[in-house]
Amino acid sequence: MGKIEAINITNISEENTFYVNQAILEKGKGIVNDRYYENFKEKKEQVTLINLEYINNFNNQIKQNIDAKDFRRNIIVSSINLNELINKKIKINDVTLKIHEICQPCKYLQNKLKIPGLVKMLINKSGVRAEILNSGSLSVGDAIKILK
């Protein structure tokens, strides 16, 4: 069973992200107080998740210690393979998320972190996009259940 290691948001696009201990996710809207709350193009873009294991492997590969929040994904998780959950649902407390697709790294992140080749190194290792099917709150340390 996976768990939430960190929750990461920012109020303004292109500003630095910051950790919060708890977040409220609203169906059809996104994460309250996040830059994409009611401001996304497709429902699959309401929330993003990334594996802490991928972040740690990337840091080992480049011999740096980039903070998980700097990858700009909302929910950092461990002990669950997000890539295997495409088109599946997960439950965290009352929140149900549908994982829609892999969220590929972007040139913006590469430029912001000043790491040449970041996009290539993080292909299929940069998280997933999800839709909020049930509203609720979640906190750091909460368990993630895969729904059948």
Side-chain angles (χ1 to χ4, degrees):
M1 187 179 307
K3 84 171 194 175
I4 296 177
E5 296 291 340
I7 303 167
N8 185 40
I9 63 171
T10 185
N11 311 82
I12 303 168
S13 287
E14 300 184 18
E15 289 293 320
N16 289 333
T17 59
F18 54 89
Y19 291 124
V20 294
N21 290 320
Q22 185 178 43
I24 297 170
L25 282 67
E26 291 186 6
K27 178 181 177 178
K29 294 184 178 182
I31 301 174
V32 174
N33 295 322
D34 185 61
R35 67 196 178 279
Y36 292 120
Y37 182 77
E38 294 188 307
N39 186 31
F40 50 84
K41 293 177 186 162
E42 299 180 51
K43 61 185 178 183
K44 66 185 178 187
E45 299 174 342
Q46 293 173 11
V47 63
T48 56
L49 301 91
I50 189 169
N51 288 93
L52 182 59
E53 293 86 353
Y54 285 151
I55 293 170
N56 291 339
N57 288 340
F58 179 75
N59 278 330
N60 288 336
Q61 185 180 354
I62 65 168
K63 296 180 177 33
Q64 289 190 40
N65 190 23
I66 297 169
D67 196 312
K69 71 178 176 54
D70 294 329
F71 287 82
R72 304 184 70 78
R73 302 296 183 238
N74 299 122
I75 303 171
I76 297 102
V77 304
S78 66
S79 303
I80 190 168
N81 187 334
L82 294 169
N83 287 7
E84 293 177 355
L85 300 177
I86 303 302
N87 294 318
K88 295 186 179 170
K89 297 174 186 171
I90 60 173
K91 189 166 181 80
I92 309 163
N93 300 328
D94 292 332
V95 177
T96 303
L97 301 175
K98 180 174 182 188
I99 309 297
H100 280 281
E101 66 183 11
I102 292 174
C103 184
Q104 297 296 357
C106 61
K107 193 83 167 175
Y108 173 81
L109 182 64
Q110 179 172 294
N111 293 339
K112 185 161 181 69
L113 296 179
K114 298 178 177 68
I115 299 172
L118 173 142
V119 169
K120 187 175 181 180
M121 288 185 273
L122 285 178
I123 289 175
N124 296 331
K125 300 174 188 160
S126 189
V128 296
R129 289 187 177 104
E131 173 186 0
I132 302 164
L133 300 179
N134 285 13
S135 300
S137 66
L138 47 85
S139 300
V140 172
D142 285 348
I144 302 167
K145 298 173 188 166
I146 301 169
L147 300 177
K148 302 277 182 192

